[in-house]
Amino acid sequence: MALEPEEEHYNLPLAEILLSNNVGVAHIRLVGDLISVKAQLSIGMREMPSLALDQRADIATEILKLEEEYRLAWESVVAAGPDIEELKARLVILENALRGAVRGVVESARRNGIHVANLSLE
Protein backbone atom coordinates (compact mmCIF):
# COMPACT_ATOMS: atom_id res chain seq x y z
CA MET A 1 0.00 0.00 0.00
CA ALA A 2 1.53 3.30 -1.11
CA LEU A 3 1.48 6.28 1.20
CA GLU A 4 -0.05 9.45 -0.14
CA PRO A 5 2.38 12.34 -0.35
CA GLU A 6 1.80 14.92 2.33
CA GLU A 7 0.15 18.12 1.22
CA GLU A 8 2.22 21.25 1.29
CA HIS A 9 1.47 23.38 4.34
CA TYR A 10 -0.30 26.56 3.30
CA ASN A 11 2.32 28.70 5.06
CA LEU A 12 5.31 26.95 3.45
CA PRO A 13 5.85 29.70 0.84
CA LEU A 14 5.91 32.31 3.61
CA ALA A 15 8.50 30.29 5.54
CA GLU A 16 10.61 29.88 2.42
CA ILE A 17 10.44 33.62 1.74
CA LEU A 18 11.58 34.38 5.29
CA LEU A 19 14.53 31.99 4.95
CA SER A 20 15.56 33.09 1.48
CA ASN A 21 18.73 35.05 0.80
CA ASN A 22 17.16 36.55 -2.34
CA VAL A 23 14.47 38.71 -0.74
CA GLY A 24 14.68 42.15 0.78
CA VAL A 25 13.45 43.87 3.90
CA ALA A 26 10.15 44.81 2.23
CA HIS A 27 9.37 41.14 1.56
CA ILE A 28 10.14 40.16 5.15
CA ARG A 29 7.99 42.98 6.51
CA LEU A 30 5.11 42.04 4.24
CA VAL A 31 5.31 38.38 5.27
CA GLY A 32 5.13 39.50 8.92
CA ASP A 33 2.19 41.76 8.13
CA LEU A 34 0.43 38.96 6.28
CA ILE A 35 0.88 36.50 9.13
CA SER A 36 -0.41 39.13 11.55
CA VAL A 37 -3.54 40.11 9.63
CA LYS A 38 -4.39 36.47 8.86
CA ALA A 39 -4.11 35.62 12.57
CA GLN A 40 -6.27 38.62 13.50
CA LEU A 41 -8.85 37.58 10.92
CA SER A 42 -8.90 34.03 12.24
CA ILE A 43 -9.35 35.20 15.84
CA GLY A 44 -12.00 37.70 14.78
CA MET A 45 -13.96 35.01 12.95
CA ARG A 46 -13.92 32.81 16.05
CA GLU A 47 -15.11 35.69 18.19
CA MET A 48 -18.06 36.40 15.87
CA PRO A 49 -20.56 33.58 16.26
CA SER A 50 -23.02 35.71 14.28
CA LEU A 51 -20.87 35.38 11.17
CA ALA A 52 -22.91 33.23 8.80
CA LEU A 53 -21.48 30.05 7.32
CA ASP A 54 -21.65 31.46 3.79
CA GLN A 55 -19.71 34.54 4.93
CA ARG A 56 -17.05 32.30 6.44
CA ALA A 57 -16.85 30.32 3.20
CA ASP A 58 -16.54 33.53 1.15
CA ILE A 59 -13.72 34.77 3.39
CA ALA A 60 -11.90 31.42 3.09
CA THR A 61 -12.28 31.49 -0.71
CA GLU A 62 -10.88 35.02 -0.88
CA ILE A 63 -7.91 34.08 1.29
CA LEU A 64 -7.18 30.99 -0.82
CA LYS A 65 -7.07 33.14 -3.97
CA LEU A 66 -4.66 35.57 -2.30
CA GLU A 67 -2.47 32.71 -1.10
CA GLU A 68 -2.38 31.27 -4.63
CA GLU A 69 -1.21 34.62 -6.05
CA TYR A 70 1.77 35.02 -3.74
CA ARG A 71 2.59 31.29 -3.95
CA LEU A 72 2.84 31.56 -7.75
CA ALA A 73 4.89 34.74 -7.46
CA TRP A 74 7.25 32.98 -5.05
CA GLU A 75 7.58 29.97 -7.35
CA SER A 76 8.53 32.39 -10.11
CA VAL A 77 11.29 33.87 -7.92
CA VAL A 78 12.58 30.39 -7.07
CA ALA A 79 12.62 29.45 -10.76
CA ALA A 80 14.50 32.60 -11.79
CA GLY A 81 17.77 31.89 -13.50
CA PRO A 82 21.07 33.60 -12.87
CA ASP A 83 19.98 36.84 -14.58
CA ILE A 84 19.89 39.49 -11.85
CA GLU A 85 17.52 41.76 -13.77
CA GLU A 86 15.06 38.90 -14.17
CA LEU A 87 15.29 38.13 -10.45
CA LYS A 88 14.69 41.78 -9.59
CA ALA A 89 11.60 41.87 -11.80
CA ARG A 90 10.23 38.73 -10.18
CA LEU A 91 10.93 40.09 -6.71
CA VAL A 92 8.87 43.17 -7.55
CA ILE A 93 6.01 40.89 -8.60
CA LEU A 94 6.37 38.97 -5.32
CA GLU A 95 6.34 42.19 -3.32
CA ASN A 96 3.18 43.33 -5.09
CA ALA A 97 1.52 39.94 -4.53
CA LEU A 98 2.36 40.02 -0.81
CA ARG A 99 1.16 43.61 -0.48
CA GLY A 100 -2.04 42.68 -2.32
CA ALA A 101 -2.55 39.72 0.01
CA VAL A 102 -2.18 41.91 3.10
CA ARG A 103 -4.64 44.44 1.68
CA GLY A 104 -7.00 41.69 0.59
CA VAL A 105 -7.11 40.11 4.04
CA VAL A 106 -7.68 43.50 5.68
CA GLU A 107 -10.44 44.40 3.22
CA SER A 108 -12.14 41.02 3.57
CA ALA A 109 -12.09 41.31 7.35
CA ARG A 110 -13.45 44.85 7.38
CA ARG A 111 -16.17 44.00 4.86
CA ASN A 112 -17.35 41.34 7.28
CA GLY A 113 -17.22 43.52 10.38
CA ILE A 114 -13.96 42.14 11.76
CA HIS A 115 -11.40 44.62 13.03
CA VAL A 116 -7.91 43.96 11.70
CA ALA A 117 -5.10 46.38 12.49
CA ASN A 118 -2.25 46.75 10.06
CA LEU A 119 -0.20 49.85 10.71
CA SER A 120 1.91 49.51 7.59
CA LEU A 121 -1.15 50.01 5.35
CA GLU A 122 -2.90 52.63 7.46
Side-chain angles (χ1 to χ4, degrees), residues 4 36-37 39 43 48 84 100 119:
E4 292 184 37
S36 174
V37 295
I43 291 167
M48 283 189 69
I84 296 298
L119 298 178

Coordinates of all heavy atoms in Angstrom, one line a residue, residues 4 36-37 39 43 48 84 100 119:
E4 N 0.2 8.2 0.6 CA -0.1 9.5 -0.1 C 1.0 10.5 0.3 O 1.3 10.6 1.4 CB -1.5 10.0 0.1 CG -2.5 9.1 -0.4 CD -3.9 9.6 -0.2 OE1 -4.1 10.9 -0.3 OE2 -4.8 8.9 0.1
S36 N 0.3 38.4 10.5 CA -0.4 39.1 11.6 C -1.9 39.3 11.2 O -2.8 39.0 12.0 CB 0.3 40.5 11.8 OG -0.5 41.3 12.7
V37 N -2.1 39.8 10.0 CA -3.5 40.1 9.6 C -4.3 38.8 9.5 O -5.5 38.8 9.8 CB -3.7 41.0 8.4 CG1 -3.1 42.4 8.7 CG2 -3.1 40.4 7.1
A39 N -3.8 36.1 11.2 CA -4.1 35.6 12.6 C -5.2 36.4 13.2 O -6.1 35.9 13.8 CB -2.8 35.7 13.4
I43 N -8.8 35.0 14.5 CA -9.3 35.2 15.8 C -10.7 35.9 15.8 O -11.6 35.6 16.5 CB -8.3 36.0 16.7 CG1 -7.1 35.1 16.9 CG2 -8.9 36.5 18.0 CD1 -5.9 35.9 17.5
M48 N -16.8 35.9 16.5 CA -18.1 36.4 15.9 C -19.0 35.2 15.5 O -19.0 34.8 14.4 CB -17.8 37.2 14.6 CG -17.3 38.6 14.8 SD -17.3 39.5 13.3 CE -19.0 39.7 13.0
I84 N 20.3 38.6 -13.0 CA 19.9 39.5 -11.8 C 18.7 40.4 -12.2 O 17.8 40.6 -11.3 CB 21.1 40.4 -11.4 CG1 22.2 39.5 -10.9 CG2 20.7 41.4 -10.4 CD1 21.9 38.7 -9.7
G100 N -0.6 42.9 -2.0 CA -2.0 42.7 -2.3 C -2.7 41.7 -1.4 O -3.9 41.9 -1.1
L119 N -0.7 48.5 10.7 CA -0.2 49.8 10.7 C 0.5 50.2 9.4 O 0.6 51.3 9.0 CB 0.7 50.1 11.9 CG 0.0 49.9 13.3 CD1 1.0 50.1 14.4 CD2 -1.2 50.9 13.4

